[in-house]
Amino acid sequence: MTVRDARAGTQRDLEVIAAPASSVGSLLGSLPVPVDGRSCFVGSVVLDPSTTIADSPLLHGSVISVGAPGPAFRAVPGEAGGVLEVTDGPDSGLTVALGPGAHTVARSSEAAVCLRDTEVSRGAHATLEISADGDAVVVNERSTNGTFVDGVPVDGSSALHPGSVLQIGSDILRWVPRPAGAVRTTCSGDGRLDFDRTFAAAPSIPQAEVTLPAPPAETGNSAARAMSALLPVGGAALLALAMHRPVLLWFGLGRVLELSS
């Protein structure tokens, strides 16, 4: 975001970290430029200090002008791949958000990036090709005064990196791609805001080996175990003879099988 002081003729770039529910007044009170009761604008729209940031025209790349209306901020509908800023020249302060696709730069109100500099061609001076990831390529459209990247004339096309200096006419421009990891948003047909979060891999789970304790060793005398297994048989035999019920022998045999298992 950029803040301009219309009275002093100065401007500064700043990074704003605020919740959507924060008031515009709290933001204006934190600006490095003294407001001193003056009205603040985004383009020609007056900022209401009592409203929230979410309900204001403030967007990423906006220019807050203190004391007078400032340059228009025209956001491209849909997903924004980044922001094109004019840092010096006749159109200094102009900021335009550009979505993926091809965008014409010209001295025409019909162009996606309209520059007022008289050295900019009325037809297509240059074209900016923006990818979904925010990568930018500038194409010179055979303009009379040419297109330059870092002082080198563009013959055909040239990649436009975040630190590159783009010169079109007398204007100096800078491309600011969407921050890495930012949520991509699109406006759906029913007016809802759809978003697609950046893929995040599941965290790796470290492997751990667990050693179980050894089973307890069997103790006892094998002869005693054999005797304990035969006692039920003898008891069942005595009961069967005394009660004249041979079926009781099966109970003794079942006890032997249970002890041996």
Side-chain angles (χ1 to χ4, degrees), residues 16-31 35 48-53 58:
V16 176
I17 301 176
S22 301
S23 67
V24 173
S26 64
L27 171 62
L28 299 179
S30 303
L31 295 178
V35 176
D48 182 1
S50 63
T51 191
T52 62
I53 293 178
L58 291 169

PDB file of all heavy atoms in Angstrom, residues 16-31 35 48-53 58:
ATOM      1  N   VAL A  16       0.662  -2.919   5.669  1.00  0.00           N
ATOM      2  CA  VAL A  16      -0.387  -2.801   6.669  1.00  0.00           C
ATOM      3  C   VAL A  16      -0.789  -4.197   7.121  1.00  0.00           C
ATOM      4  O   VAL A  16      -1.128  -5.051   6.297  1.00  0.00           O
ATOM      5  CB  VAL A  16      -1.613  -2.047   6.118  1.00  0.00           C
ATOM      6  CG1 VAL A  16      -2.728  -2.016   7.151  1.00  0.00           C
ATOM      7  CG2 VAL A  16      -1.218  -0.634   5.712  1.00  0.00           C
ATOM      8  N   ILE A  17      -0.752  -4.425   8.430  1.00  0.00           N
ATOM      9  CA  ILE A  17      -1.216  -5.676   9.016  1.00  0.00           C
ATOM     10  C   ILE A  17      -2.376  -5.322   9.945  1.00  0.00           C
ATOM     11  O   ILE A  17      -2.170  -4.733  11.004  1.00  0.00           O
ATOM     12  CB  ILE A  17      -0.099  -6.399   9.785  1.00  0.00           C
ATOM     13  CG1 ILE A  17       1.082  -6.702   8.849  1.00  0.00           C
ATOM     14  CG2 ILE A  17      -0.617  -7.679  10.414  1.00  0.00           C
ATOM     15  CD1 ILE A  17       2.261  -7.323   9.553  1.00  0.00           C
ATOM     16  N   ALA A  18      -3.587  -5.634   9.529  1.00  0.00           N
ATOM     17  CA  ALA A  18      -4.769  -5.267  10.305  1.00  0.00           C
ATOM     18  C   ALA A  18      -5.875  -6.271  10.039  1.00  0.00           C
ATOM     19  O   ALA A  18      -5.952  -6.859   8.959  1.00  0.00           O
ATOM     20  CB  ALA A  18      -5.236  -3.851   9.946  1.00  0.00           C
ATOM     21  N   ALA A  19      -6.722  -6.459  11.036  1.00  0.00           N
ATOM     22  CA  ALA A  19      -7.868  -7.348  10.887  1.00  0.00           C
ATOM     23  C   ALA A  19      -8.945  -6.671  10.056  1.00  0.00           C
ATOM     24  O   ALA A  19      -9.062  -5.440  10.071  1.00  0.00           O
ATOM     25  CB  ALA A  19      -8.423  -7.722  12.266  1.00  0.00           C
ATOM     26  N   PRO A  20      -9.731  -7.446   9.310  1.00  0.00           N
ATOM     27  CA  PRO A  20     -10.801  -6.836   8.500  1.00  0.00           C
ATOM     28  C   PRO A  20     -11.777  -6.011   9.331  1.00  0.00           C
ATOM     29  O   PRO A  20     -12.370  -5.052   8.826  1.00  0.00           O
ATOM     30  CB  PRO A  20     -11.483  -8.040   7.860  1.00  0.00           C
ATOM     31  CG  PRO A  20     -10.444  -9.118   7.858  1.00  0.00           C
ATOM     32  CD  PRO A  20      -9.640  -8.899   9.091  1.00  0.00           C
ATOM     33  N   ALA A  21     -11.949  -6.380  10.621  1.00  0.00           N
ATOM     34  CA  ALA A  21     -12.898  -5.654  11.463  1.00  0.00           C
ATOM     35  C   ALA A  21     -12.300  -4.385  12.067  1.00  0.00           C
ATOM     36  O   ALA A  21     -13.009  -3.642  12.748  1.00  0.00           O
ATOM     37  CB  ALA A  21     -13.402  -6.565  12.576  1.00  0.00           C
ATOM     38  N   SER A  22     -11.018  -4.125  11.819  1.00  0.00           N
ATOM     39  CA  SER A  22     -10.402  -2.903  12.345  1.00  0.00           C
ATOM     40  C   SER A  22     -11.020  -1.686  11.659  1.00  0.00           C
ATOM     41  O   SER A  22     -11.445  -1.751  10.507  1.00  0.00           O
ATOM     42  CB  SER A  22      -8.894  -2.922  12.114  1.00  0.00           C
ATOM     43  OG  SER A  22      -8.296  -4.034  12.742  1.00  0.00           O
ATOM     44  N   SER A  23     -11.051  -0.570  12.361  1.00  0.00           N
ATOM     45  CA  SER A  23     -11.652   0.633  11.802  1.00  0.00           C
ATOM     46  C   SER A  23     -10.668   1.345  10.882  1.00  0.00           C
ATOM     47  O   SER A  23      -9.450   1.265  11.057  1.00  0.00           O
ATOM     48  CB  SER A  23     -12.087   1.581  12.925  1.00  0.00           C
ATOM     49  OG  SER A  23     -10.956   2.090  13.616  1.00  0.00           O
ATOM     50  N   VAL A  24     -11.225   2.049   9.899  1.00  0.00           N
ATOM     51  CA  VAL A  24     -10.393   2.848   9.004  1.00  0.00           C
ATOM     52  C   VAL A  24      -9.716   3.961   9.782  1.00  0.00           C
ATOM     53  O   VAL A  24      -8.575   4.334   9.507  1.00  0.00           O
ATOM     54  CB  VAL A  24     -11.254   3.409   7.855  1.00  0.00           C
ATOM     55  CG1 VAL A  24     -10.449   4.386   7.005  1.00  0.00           C
ATOM     56  CG2 VAL A  24     -11.786   2.279   6.989  1.00  0.00           C
ATOM     57  N   GLY A  25     -10.409   4.484  10.815  1.00  0.00           N
ATOM     58  CA  GLY A  25      -9.828   5.546  11.628  1.00  0.00           C
ATOM     59  C   GLY A  25      -8.558   5.114  12.331  1.00  0.00           C
ATOM     60  O   GLY A  25      -7.600   5.895  12.426  1.00  0.00           O
ATOM     61  N   SER A  26      -8.525   3.865  12.826  1.00  0.00           N
ATOM     62  CA  SER A  26      -7.309   3.372  13.487  1.00  0.00           C
ATOM     63  C   SER A  26      -6.158   3.258  12.504  1.00  0.00           C
ATOM     64  O   SER A  26      -5.000   3.498  12.845  1.00  0.00           O
ATOM     65  CB  SER A  26      -7.577   2.024  14.150  1.00  0.00           C
ATOM     66  OG  SER A  26      -7.904   1.031  13.174  1.00  0.00           O
ATOM     67  N   LEU A  27      -6.472   2.895  11.239  1.00  0.00           N
ATOM     68  CA  LEU A  27      -5.428   2.823  10.217  1.00  0.00           C
ATOM     69  C   LEU A  27      -4.910   4.216   9.878  1.00  0.00           C
ATOM     70  O   LEU A  27      -3.695   4.434   9.799  1.00  0.00           O
ATOM     71  CB  LEU A  27      -5.978   2.140   8.965  1.00  0.00           C
ATOM     72  CG  LEU A  27      -5.085   2.175   7.720  1.00  0.00           C
ATOM     73  CD1 LEU A  27      -3.773   1.455   7.984  1.00  0.00           C
ATOM     74  CD2 LEU A  27      -5.800   1.572   6.535  1.00  0.00           C
ATOM     75  N   LEU A  28      -5.818   5.172   9.687  1.00  0.00           N
ATOM     76  CA  LEU A  28      -5.400   6.530   9.334  1.00  0.00           C
ATOM     77  C   LEU A  28      -4.579   7.161  10.451  1.00  0.00           C
ATOM     78  O   LEU A  28      -3.647   7.930  10.198  1.00  0.00           O
ATOM     79  CB  LEU A  28      -6.629   7.395   9.023  1.00  0.00           C
ATOM     80  CG  LEU A  28      -7.496   6.935   7.844  1.00  0.00           C
ATOM     81  CD1 LEU A  28      -8.683   7.870   7.663  1.00  0.00           C
ATOM     82  CD2 LEU A  28      -6.675   6.847   6.564  1.00  0.00           C
ATOM     83  N   GLY A  29      -4.914   6.823  11.700  1.00  0.00           N
ATOM     84  CA  GLY A  29      -4.148   7.362  12.819  1.00  0.00           C
ATOM     85  C   GLY A  29      -2.758   6.781  12.934  1.00  0.00           C
ATOM     86  O   GLY A  29      -1.915   7.344  13.642  1.00  0.00           O
ATOM     87  N   SER A  30      -2.501   5.654  12.242  1.00  0.00           N
ATOM     88  CA  SER A  30      -1.186   5.005  12.301  1.00  0.00           C
ATOM     89  C   SER A  30      -0.319   5.324  11.093  1.00  0.00           C
ATOM     90  O   SER A  30       0.809   4.818  10.996  1.00  0.00           O
ATOM     91  CB  SER A  30      -1.369   3.483  12.406  1.00  0.00           C
ATOM     92  OG  SER A  30      -2.156   3.133  13.521  1.00  0.00           O
ATOM     93  N   LEU A  31      -0.815   6.124  10.169  1.00  0.00           N
ATOM     94  CA  LEU A  31      -0.051   6.435   8.964  1.00  0.00           C
ATOM     95  C   LEU A  31       1.191   7.264   9.299  1.00  0.00           C
ATOM     96  O   LEU A  31       1.177   8.067  10.235  1.00  0.00           O
ATOM     97  CB  LEU A  31      -0.924   7.200   7.960  1.00  0.00           C
ATOM     98  CG  LEU A  31      -2.115   6.449   7.373  1.00  0.00           C
ATOM     99  CD1 LEU A  31      -2.908   7.363   6.446  1.00  0.00           C
ATOM    100  CD2 LEU A  31      -1.659   5.203   6.624  1.00  0.00           C
ATOM    101  N   VAL A  35      -2.298  13.274   9.433  1.00  0.00           N
ATOM    102  CA  VAL A  35      -3.567  13.567   8.774  1.00  0.00           C
ATOM    103  C   VAL A  35      -4.047  14.972   9.124  1.00  0.00           C
ATOM    104  O   VAL A  35      -4.529  15.719   8.257  1.00  0.00           O
ATOM    105  CB  VAL A  35      -4.618  12.508   9.150  1.00  0.00           C
ATOM    106  CG1 VAL A  35      -5.974  12.855   8.549  1.00  0.00           C
ATOM    107  CG2 VAL A  35      -4.179  11.115   8.685  1.00  0.00           C
ATOM    108  N   ASP A  48     -14.187   6.768   5.082  1.00  0.00           N
ATOM    109  CA  ASP A  48     -14.966   7.054   6.283  1.00  0.00           C
ATOM    110  C   ASP A  48     -14.247   6.436   7.479  1.00  0.00           C
ATOM    111  O   ASP A  48     -14.142   5.209   7.571  1.00  0.00           O
ATOM    112  CB  ASP A  48     -16.364   6.458   6.135  1.00  0.00           C
ATOM    113  CG  ASP A  48     -17.252   6.763   7.338  1.00  0.00           C
ATOM    114  OD1 ASP A  48     -16.784   7.446   8.271  1.00  0.00           O
ATOM    115  OD2 ASP A  48     -18.419   6.321   7.330  1.00  0.00           O
ATOM    116  N   PRO A  49     -13.743   7.248   8.422  1.00  0.00           N
ATOM    117  CA  PRO A  49     -12.996   6.689   9.556  1.00  0.00           C
ATOM    118  C   PRO A  49     -13.814   5.744  10.423  1.00  0.00           C
ATOM    119  O   PRO A  49     -13.239   4.899  11.129  1.00  0.00           O
ATOM    120  CB  PRO A  49     -12.568   7.938  10.349  1.00  0.00           C
ATOM    121  CG  PRO A  49     -12.625   9.062   9.370  1.00  0.00           C
ATOM    122  CD  PRO A  49     -13.763   8.720   8.455  1.00  0.00           C
ATOM    123  N   SER A  50     -15.135   5.855  10.403  1.00  0.00           N
ATOM    124  CA  SER A  50     -15.962   5.033  11.280  1.00  0.00           C
ATOM    125  C   SER A  50     -16.258   3.649  10.715  1.00  0.00           C
ATOM    126  O   SER A  50     -16.735   2.778  11.439  1.00  0.00           O
ATOM    127  CB  SER A  50     -17.293   5.745  11.569  1.00  0.00           C
ATOM    128  OG  SER A  50     -18.040   5.919  10.369  1.00  0.00           O
ATOM    129  N   THR A  51     -15.983   3.430   9.442  1.00  0.00           N
ATOM    130  CA  THR A  51     -16.273   2.135   8.848  1.00  0.00           C
ATOM    131  C   THR A  51     -15.112   1.172   9.070  1.00  0.00           C
ATOM    132  O   THR A  51     -14.022   1.564   9.508  1.00  0.00           O
ATOM    133  CB  THR A  51     -16.556   2.281   7.341  1.00  0.00           C
ATOM    134  OG1 THR A  51     -17.075   1.049   6.840  1.00  0.00           O
ATOM    135  CG2 THR A  51     -15.273   2.605   6.584  1.00  0.00           C
ATOM    136  N   THR A  52     -15.339  -0.099   8.775  1.00  0.00           N
ATOM    137  CA  THR A  52     -14.281  -1.099   8.932  1.00  0.00           C
ATOM    138  C   THR A  52     -13.461  -1.196   7.645  1.00  0.00           C
ATOM    139  O   THR A  52     -13.902  -0.774   6.572  1.00  0.00           O
ATOM    140  CB  THR A  52     -14.868  -2.477   9.254  1.00  0.00           C
ATOM    141  OG1 THR A  52     -15.693  -2.914   8.166  1.00  0.00           O
ATOM    142  CG2 THR A  52     -15.710  -2.414  10.526  1.00  0.00           C
ATOM    143  N   ILE A  53     -12.284  -1.770   7.784  1.00  0.00           N
ATOM    144  CA  ILE A  53     -11.422  -1.932   6.610  1.00  0.00           C
ATOM    145  C   ILE A  53     -12.080  -2.846   5.588  1.00  0.00           C
ATOM    146  O   ILE A  53     -11.979  -2.639   4.373  1.00  0.00           O
ATOM    147  CB  ILE A  53     -10.041  -2.465   7.042  1.00  0.00           C
ATOM    148  CG1 ILE A  53      -9.315  -1.404   7.883  1.00  0.00           C
ATOM    149  CG2 ILE A  53      -9.199  -2.866   5.842  1.00  0.00           C
ATOM    150  CD1 ILE A  53      -7.964  -1.856   8.394  1.00  0.00           C
ATOM    151  N   LEU A  58     -10.400  -0.018   0.472  1.00  0.00           N
ATOM    152  CA  LEU A  58      -8.981  -0.341   0.591  1.00  0.00           C
ATOM    153  C   LEU A  58      -8.725  -1.766   0.129  1.00  0.00           C
ATOM    154  O   LEU A  58      -9.383  -2.706   0.571  1.00  0.00           O
ATOM    155  CB  LEU A  58      -8.519  -0.173   2.043  1.00  0.00           C
ATOM    156  CG  LEU A  58      -8.469   1.269   2.562  1.00  0.00           C
ATOM    157  CD1 LEU A  58      -8.251   1.279   4.069  1.00  0.00           C
ATOM    158  CD2 LEU A  58      -7.357   2.049   1.862  1.00  0.00           C
TER     159      LEU A  58
END
